[in-house]
């Protein structure tokens, strides 16, 4: 597959990072979204409660998906990174607010993030079919 078959959509509402990665890549009808953490529009980490960081991260994920032409309901897989085991119950409660049946497949990894963030999420989505 040539590089020309891969798109990297981005606009002024796409969360940015100072780190070397693209927010998302679109290959065919698949959308691959890089890890989204609790950052503001300039890419600065915004520390908060677990709930605050979770919600900001999911909204950043939603913003990246929008640039590619889809939303949370188009996600088929999430990978979630939770810094502290103690936050798992809250994580599951909050996750259920954003994702309903049929639920995307999911992996959750704990005790893996630096002290600067509590939560990060990445995903694979499928573009909706054109009407």
């Amino acid at each position: 597959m040539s590089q020309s078959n891969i798109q990297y959509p981005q606009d002024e509402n796409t969360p940015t990072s100072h780190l070397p990665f693209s927010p998302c890549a679109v290959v065919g009808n698949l959308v691959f979204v890089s890890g989204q953490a609790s950052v503001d529009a300039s890419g600065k980490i915004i520390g908060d409660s677990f709930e605050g960081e979770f919600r900001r991260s999911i909204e950043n994920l939603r913003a990246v998906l929008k640039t590619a032409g889809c939303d949370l309901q188009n996600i088929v897989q999430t990978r979630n990174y939770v810094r502290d085991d103690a936050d798992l119950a809250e994580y599951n409660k909050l996750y259920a607010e954003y994702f309903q049946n049929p639920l995307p497949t999911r992996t959750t990894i704990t005790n893996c993030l630096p002290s600067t963030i509590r939560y990060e999420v990445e995903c694979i989505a499928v573009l909706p079919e054109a009407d």
Side-chain angles (χ1 to χ4, degrees):
M1 176 171 287
S2 73
Q3 189 72 8
S4 64
N5 294 338
I6 304 170
Q7 299 174 351
Y8 300 91
Q10 201 168 344
D11 64 24
E12 67 277 355
N13 298 315
T14 306
T16 60
S17 175
H18 64 282
L19 299 173
F21 65 86
S22 295
C24 73
V26 178
V27 182
N29 69 338
L30 296 177
V31 180
F32 300 86
V33 179
S34 294
Q36 299 299 307
S38 179
V39 298
D40 66 12
S42 70
K44 179 183 174 203
I45 294 172
I46 304 298
D48 200 348
S49 64
F50 181 83
E51 179 179 359
E53 289 195 26
F54 179 92
R55 291 186 189 284
R56 189 172 290 105
S57 298
I58 295 293
E59 291 307 320
N60 286 342
L61 182 70
R62 179 176 273 155
V64 173
L65 287 167
K66 185 176 179 183
T67 65
C70 55
D71 202 350
L72 298 179
Q73 74 270 12
N74 303 109
I75 294 174
V76 295
Q77 181 183 50
T78 64
R79 285 187 207 99
N80 302 267
Y81 306 90
V82 177
R83 186 180 73 195
D84 302 316
D85 286 344
D87 291 322
L88 285 173
E90 185 172 18
Y91 155 70
N92 282 309
K93 178 181 167 260
L94 293 166
Y95 190 92
E97 288 181 28
Y98 287 89
F99 299 99
Q100 287 80 40
N101 288 325
L103 293 164
T105 63
R106 179 179 98 167
T107 298
T108 304
I109 303 166
T110 61
N111 304 309
C112 58
L113 294 171
S115 63
T116 53
I117 60 174
R118 297 171 185 264
Y119 177 75
E120 185 172 350
V121 59
E122 63 181 272
C123 77
I124 299 171
V126 176
L127 290 171
E129 292 183 21
D131 293 331

